[in-house]
Amino acid sequence: MIRKYLYASFVGCFLFCLSASAQTTNHAAYSLFVVNFAKYASWPQAGTDFKIAVLGKSKIYEELLKSTANKNVNGQPYKVSQIESASEIGDAQIVFIPDNKSSNLDEVVKATAGKSIMIVTEREGLAKKGADFSFLIIDNKLRFDINSSDLEKRNIKVASSLVSIANSSM
Amino acid sequence: MNKFTLVLILISTVCVHAQDLDSLINLSAFTEESELQKQLNTATSVASSKALSTRETPGILSVITNEEIQNSGARDMIDVLRLVPGFDILQDNQFVMGLGIRGNWGNEGKVLVLMDGHYMNELLYQTVQIGNHFPVDAIERIEIIRGPGSAIYGGSAEYGVINIVTKAASTLNGVQVYGVGGIHSNAVGRTNAGVMAAQHKEKLSWDLSIFKGNGIVSNSKNFQDLYQSYDAQNLSKTTTANPMNINFGLKAGGLSLRTMYDEFKTTDPYAFSYSKNFFSDVRYDLKVNKKLTVTPSFRYYRQLPWSFGNKDPFEYALKSRAERAWGQVEGSYDLNRKVNFNVGALYFADKGTDLLEGGAFNGNNTLTLNNFAFFAQGLFKHRLANTTLGFRYEKNNRYGSAFVPRLALTKKIENFHFKILYSKAFRAPSILNISEALTGEIKPEKTDAFEMELGYQFTPEMLLSLNAFSLTTKNVIIYGSSGEGDTFNEWYENYLKSGSQGLELVYSIRKSKWYTTLSYSYSQAIDGNTVDKYVVPQTSKQYLGFSRSKIAFNSSFKLNDHLSINPSAVYGSKRYGYTSLDEDGNPQANELDGYVLANLFLNYKNLFTEGLNIGIGAYDLFNEHPAIPQAYNGDYAPIPGRSREYILKLSYQVNFKK
């Protein structure tokens, strides 16, 4: 009987352990950056909503929903959606590519070519490969690289104050 | 939207939200650190050329903090290391307590002990005497590689590295005095005390520590060693373990100096063994540019290691001076944020001088060794894995060369981390290993080491890690001796093969008011061991003196802001030791029961005034006093373990005004 209790306690403890979260990626910080990219940039045409599309499943989707709820940018209410493929980007202003979807960057770049759509990637180094913003981590702090020339091609203007805090601008 | 409107929007946006951007650049990429994570994320460079967090550093690592040492009430390094997975304490000879690691005897040149950068292994035999030797109450942290470190540290780090960092040399900005007293039912176990003062400023830092103590090795009242020719002894009166250490450091800009004098006097009922060690190190960190730092350094050692002889009449059997002059140039280059290279070259000359002029070095009164070495390491950080690639090549004018490459893959991915490590390691023959070579020639030991660690952080406060290891050593350097008094003879010879395999499991939980670390270590002898001095007839799965399994438990509970209660315990499974004689009068190995060492310590911080701390407790609550067997068949019976010891610790710290 005691052994059963011990097993039950052990399993209970293990399940509790699994349900709790450890120190992991701070998705709220990524979300905050994306919201500020929206604030500090301007698009040539304003729609009714400011659309942010997240490619695939990622916790940043939930964080973006939280941080943009009942808020707007330059009078446009945010609308955050989760999409399954590049073909669903539509007229979003920002498309976010989580780390596990980094291999879809080329597909997203092709699908958005010539359009004023800002591509933001979670994985480091992708600003050199066609994204407009890519995150990186320096001394545990979240930073970003910015691809100004691509943004210019896409006719998206970014405030110099945002560029000034970038890790690198190309 | 015309251009004017666009500019207006951008300007107004910048004005309104400028403060947002300031806060953005301080955002952490990770969720808030728990107490455990703060410890795990502390960068350490003990196992790599570039500092990395504990979970990513290329070595199986244990880090013990000042808080853990103080809370546990550890009396000396024996108590500290018994709680570390894989470590064990065994007897060398002459009642000297030495280190065992992962089921192997490691006291001679296999485990490197550093204190504030100073190599504490003496130069004649490469041993470290561990019992009541080091000032545990002056330690800020201990970083331990539970695996080979030769590629970085050379020929004394074949199985492990223990890097002690004192409080004075690192964090103290003020003055601290401390003392510890230990009392057994029939004897005073130890009285150790120290004082340290330090000031660390950006341009100029200095520190000075002094530590002195008196202790015994055992308090057994009626000990008769069957293999030694003395009568029954009261060990509390006939054994000593008396340390002294003076440590001074100075740092001005890139220039740093450290100098240390260390003395340890120990006795068994029949013989004395004294060690004196002076060390000085000067180095300069020359920052050529943002990416490149070049560090030339010079070290000098002057020692009287393990001078021994009869106590009555007092007579030296060995009294030799050992010196080492060491010059090194090392460069560290950060190619970018993810790639670092570390390269260096060094030369050192060792000299042994027989002060008794009895031809201690193969009939000569002096012996000189010349060594040069090159080393290089590259650290490449990638999102999939961090890769460490390195080697060390060392050549000696007497025993030849050793080349030890190293490859490590490590990565922390969210809650999970892994380490895959392969390295070769070596033990460089010491001055007496060479001069006392049985065949006139001795080769360096060489080890192949494979290690793998997997870890998972279930919650911010909880980490479980498991590692497996395999150590195979060839050309094992083994000590032998025969005779007594005038007929005493000792020698070294290479044996073909030894080593061990095993695993270590560590579970840590750390909350704001309590923490617990629970570990399990398992090791077994490899097949094909040829070192007969390690073998017992009862089993081929474990070596003489070692437990195959060890469980260690260390915990602390804060009852309020001042008072904490700190239980700790160590369980060791059965061992074997030479405890009797067979019909022909030869030593006979017998089973020694498993043991539990349970300890309890109460700590009260800031008693009456800030900085005054008092602790009381008891070690070996159940009074099991397990014996300490000799780690090889060397004609010493196990030392009776010390019985329950009541401990009182006091310390007082005054900080300098900032």
Side-chain angles (χ1 to χ4, degrees):
Chain A
M1 194 63 180
I2 290 171
R3 190 173 290 183
K4 278 186 183 173
Y5 279 122
L6 279 174
Y7 285 144
S9 307
F10 178 78
V11 172
C13 178
F14 187 71
L15 290 176
F16 168 77
C17 295
L18 287 179
S19 67
S21 63
Q23 186 206 20
T24 54
T25 305
N26 185 0
H27 291 100
Y30 285 82
S31 165
L32 208 53
F33 267 93
V34 173
V35 168
N36 276 279
F37 295 160
K39 279 184 188 174
Y40 286 87
S42 65
W43 280 254
Q45 289 157 346
T48 49
D49 296 324
F50 189 93
K51 294 176 183 171
I52 302 174
V54 178
L55 183 64
K57 288 181 181 171
S58 168
K59 285 183 181 170
I60 198 167
Y61 171 65
E62 281 84 23
E63 290 298 336
L64 278 167
L65 283 176
K66 278 188 220 166
S67 57
T68 60
N70 302 318
K71 289 181 182 166
N72 64 69
V73 56
N74 299 327
Q76 297 170 269
Y78 286 105
K79 187 177 178 187
V80 180
S81 62
Q82 194 167 47
I83 58 173
E84 295 305 318
S85 70
S87 62
E88 297 172 39
I89 292 172
D91 59 349
Q93 275 83 1
I94 296 178
V95 57
F96 182 87
I97 305 178
D99 186 67
N100 60 356
K101 290 287 181 183
S102 300
S103 59
N104 294 66
L105 175 63
D106 287 346
E107 193 187 330
V108 172
V109 169
K110 277 181 195 167
T112 60
K115 296 179 184 174
S116 295
I117 297 175
M118 179 191 286
I119 303 169
V120 181
T121 67
E122 184 176 356
R123 182 174 295 176
E124 181 179 348
L126 298 190
K128 289 177 188 165
K129 296 179 179 175
D132 299 306
F133 288 84
S134 61
F135 286 104
L136 73 162
I137 297 165
I138 300 176
D139 298 333
N140 286 339
K141 304 285 185 200
L142 195 59
R143 296 292 170 85
F144 62 89
D145 291 328
I146 185 168
N147 184 345
S148 300
S149 59
D150 190 66
L151 285 162
E152 203 172 314
K153 283 180 199 163
R154 291 174 181 273
N155 208 14
I156 300 171
K157 297 196 184 309
V158 177
S160 58
S161 53
L162 182 63
V163 178
S164 70
I165 64 164
N167 175 64
S168 71
S169 175
M170 55 203 80
Chain B
M1 192 182 291
N2 62 34
K3 280 188 180 175
F4 180 72
T5 314
L6 182 66
V7 170
L8 270 183
I9 288 173
L10 276 175
I11 290 172
S12 63
T13 305
V14 169
C15 294
V16 173
H17 299 295
Q19 70 276 18
D20 295 347
L21 290 179
D22 290 339
S23 57
L24 272 187
I25 57 173
N26 290 316
L27 281 177
S28 172
F30 302 102
T31 50
E32 193 179 351
E33 285 180 322
S34 67
E35 292 299 312
L36 177 66
Q37 284 155 350
K38 281 176 193 164
Q39 198 174 355
L40 295 173
N41 291 341
T42 303
T44 172
S45 58
V46 67
S48 60
S49 53
K50 188 89 176 165
L52 289 168
S53 73
T54 309
R55 296 178 74 190
E56 290 197 296
T57 200
I60 308 297
L61 216 70
S62 291
V63 178
I64 298 138
T65 63
N66 166 271
E67 180 198 23
E68 288 167 326
I69 294 170
Q70 292 304 310
N71 286 344
S72 70
R75 298 164 293 182
D76 62 5
M77 284 292 284
I78 290 178
D79 291 337
V80 173
L81 291 172
R82 273 182 166 149
L83 294 173
V84 177
F87 276 88
D88 211 340
I89 307 298
L90 287 93
Q91 185 194 177
D92 202 328
N93 59 20
Q94 296 167 343
F95 277 37
V96 165
M97 301 291 192
L99 287 166
I101 181 169
R102 291 175 159 178
N104 302 282
W105 179 230
N107 204 43
E108 275 192 75
K110 283 194 174 77
V111 180
L112 174 67
V113 178
L114 298 159
M115 189 155 89
D116 294 336
H118 168 28
Y119 283 42
M120 300 301 287
N121 300 55
E122 45 81 11
L123 293 170
L124 285 185
Y125 301 95
Q126 286 286 333
T127 62
V128 182
Q129 303 177 342
I130 212 81
N132 202 43
H133 184 171
F134 295 92
V136 286
D137 294 296
I139 292 174
E140 176 62 24
R141 69 178 185 280
I142 307 172
E143 301 165 337
I144 298 174
I145 306 176
R146 306 189 325 257
S150 283
I152 297 179
Y153 296 100
S156 309
E158 190 180 17
Y159 281 0
V161 178
I162 298 172
N163 183 32
I164 299 168
V165 180
T166 65
K167 200 171 168 179
S170 55
T171 59
L172 182 68
N173 263 301
V175 180
Q176 184 177 342
V177 291
Y178 59 90
V180 55
I183 297 171
H184 300 283
S185 59
N186 63 340
V188 174
R190 74 197 72 223
T191 50
N192 298 337
V195 57
M196 49 188 167
Q199 191 159 38
H200 294 282
K201 291 189 170 177
E202 197 177 335
K203 289 187 177 173
L204 181 71
S205 295
W206 61 267
D207 61 85
L208 175 65
S209 310
I210 300 169
F211 169 67
K212 189 158 180 14
N214 292 293
I216 58 175
V217 181
S218 173
N219 66 317
S220 175
K221 284 176 75 174
N222 194 25
F223 172 65
Q224 171 97 55
D225 187 334
L226 285 174
Y227 314 124
Q228 301 290 318
S229 57
Y230 47 71
D231 300 328
Q233 299 283 326
N234 181 346
L235 297 182
S236 65
K237 296 197 185 308
T238 57
T239 65
T240 55
N242 300 342
M244 184 168 88
N245 185 278
I246 301 169
N247 183 359
F248 172 72
L250 187 66
K251 191 168 191 304
L255 183 68
S256 55
L257 162 79
R258 180 153 303 280
T259 188
M260 189 186 293
Y261 174 75
D262 188 79
E263 184 180 289
F264 188 67
K265 293 184 174 180
T266 186
T267 55
D268 71 12
Y270 174 76
F272 67 86
S273 167
Y274 296 164
S275 289
K276 295 176 181 178
N277 179 1
F278 171 80
F279 158 82
S280 195
D281 175 0
V282 184
R283 63 180 57 216
Y284 186 71
D285 287 327
L286 176 66
K287 290 199 183 300
V288 179
N289 54 43
K290 278 185 180 177
K291 293 185 170 185
L292 178 65
T293 303
V294 176
T295 307
S297 63
F298 178 75
R299 301 175 195 172
Y300 177 67
Y301 301 75
R302 188 180 173 92
Q303 307 177 341
L304 282 177
W306 208 312
S307 302
F308 71 90
N310 289 341
K311 286 199 312 193
D312 187 21
F314 189 88
E315 185 183 18
Y316 279 101
L318 175 76
K319 187 179 183 185
S320 294
R321 184 166 58 233
E323 293 169 279
R324 171 172 287 179
W326 170 308
Q328 176 173 323
V329 180
E330 187 174 357
S332 178
Y333 182 72
D334 291 317
L335 181 66
N336 55 43
R337 205 165 42 79
K338 296 191 165 188
V339 180
N340 167 265
F341 294 104
N342 175 259
V343 294
L346 62 95
Y347 170 82
F348 63 89
D350 290 351
K351 184 180 180 186
T353 305
D354 182 2
L355 300 179
L356 302 177
E357 298 190 345
F361 303 110
N362 207 17
N364 300 312
N365 285 330
T366 61
L367 185 142
T368 305
L369 305 174
N370 298 303
N371 301 265
F372 69 84
F374 300 102
F375 57 90
Q377 304 246 6
L379 170 64
F380 309 90
K381 292 184 183 174
H382 187 268
R383 64 186 170 80
L384 295 178
N386 301 323
T387 305
T388 302
L389 197 59
F391 75 90
R392 185 183 185 99
Y393 174 78
E394 193 157 318
K395 187 166 175 59
N396 178 282
N397 65 323
R398 291 293 293 267
Y399 59 75
S401 63
F403 175 72
V404 284
R406 174 194 195 205
L407 172 65
L409 297 173
T410 67
K411 192 65 182 175
K412 172 178 167 285
I413 304 165
E414 298 290 334
N415 300 330
F416 170 75
H417 79 259
F418 71 85
K419 298 181 179 186
I420 300 167
L421 315 168
Y422 167 73
S423 70
K424 281 187 177 288
F426 74 107
R427 170 185 165 187
S430 65
I431 293 172
L432 280 176
N433 293 163
I434 291 168
S435 72
E436 295 183 349
L438 186 67
T439 61
E441 187 183 338
I442 199 99
K443 295 174 187 166
E445 266 183 34
K446 290 185 181 169
T447 290
D448 273 296
F450 292 93
E451 299 168 284
M452 188 169 83
E453 180 175 276
L454 300 175
Y456 194 81
Q457 201 174 342
F458 290 107
T459 75
E461 298 90 7
M462 199 185 293
L463 176 72
L464 182 71
S465 67
L466 171 70
N467 76 77
F469 63 85
S470 168
L471 303 168
T472 305
T473 303
K474 303 265 178 74
N475 297 332
V476 194
I477 300 172
I478 296 294
Y479 173 80
S481 67
S482 67
E484 291 174 20
D486 293 340
T487 65
F488 180 77
N489 186 28
E490 60 180 5
W491 65 86
Y492 287 89
E493 57 187 314
N494 287 113
Y495 280 63
L496 193 60
K497 187 177 170 187
S498 185
S500 66
Q501 295 165 333
L503 55 87
E504 292 150 358
L505 184 71
V506 182
Y507 171 78
S508 300
I509 181 164
R510 183 170 279 265
K511 301 273 190 180
S512 59
K513 299 209 166 181
W514 61 278
Y515 63 77
T516 290
T517 302
L518 183 66
S519 67
Y520 171 71
S521 321
Y522 175 83
S523 64
Q524 68 172 42
I526 57 166
D527 292 335
N529 164 64
T530 62
V531 183
D532 55 0
K533 288 175 187 297
Y534 293 165
V535 172
V536 290
Q538 289 87 345
T539 178
S540 60
K541 294 293 182 188
Q542 70 192 87
Y543 295 130
L544 178 65
F546 284 90
S547 296
R548 256 200 275 179
S549 292
K550 183 178 93 166
I551 298 171
F553 163 80
N554 185 26
S555 199
S556 175
F557 301 90
K558 268 188 201 171
L559 301 181
N560 56 43
D561 287 346
H562 299 281
L563 183 64
S564 67
I565 183 165
N566 309 281
S568 61
V570 178
Y571 161 77
S573 63
K574 72 179 176 191
R575 302 161 297 160
Y576 296 92
Y578 283 91
T579 55
S580 62
L581 297 170
D582 65 14
E583 290 170 354
D584 300 325
N586 296 315
Q588 193 167 25
N590 296 292
E591 184 178 317
L592 304 173
D593 290 339
Y595 62 89
V596 174
L597 283 172
N599 322 303
L600 188 68
F601 200 73
L602 293 169
N603 243 324
Y604 197 97
K605 289 183 178 172
N606 302 323
L607 176 70
F608 305 129
T609 181
E610 190 171 335
L612 179 61
N613 303 329
I614 182 169
I616 54 169
Y619 263 74
D620 193 8
L621 281 169
F622 302 141
N623 210 21
E624 293 210 3
H625 47 86
I628 315 286
Q630 196 172 19
Y632 50 92
N633 185 3
D635 289 336
Y636 273 83
I639 305 169
R642 52 203 314 149
S643 66
R644 184 187 303 126
E645 186 172 1
Y646 296 98
I647 302 295
L648 171 67
K649 283 192 176 190
L650 275 170
S651 71
Y652 183 55
Q653 180 176 329
V654 180
N655 294 326
F656 293 141
K657 285 181 183 171
K658 288 182 179 174

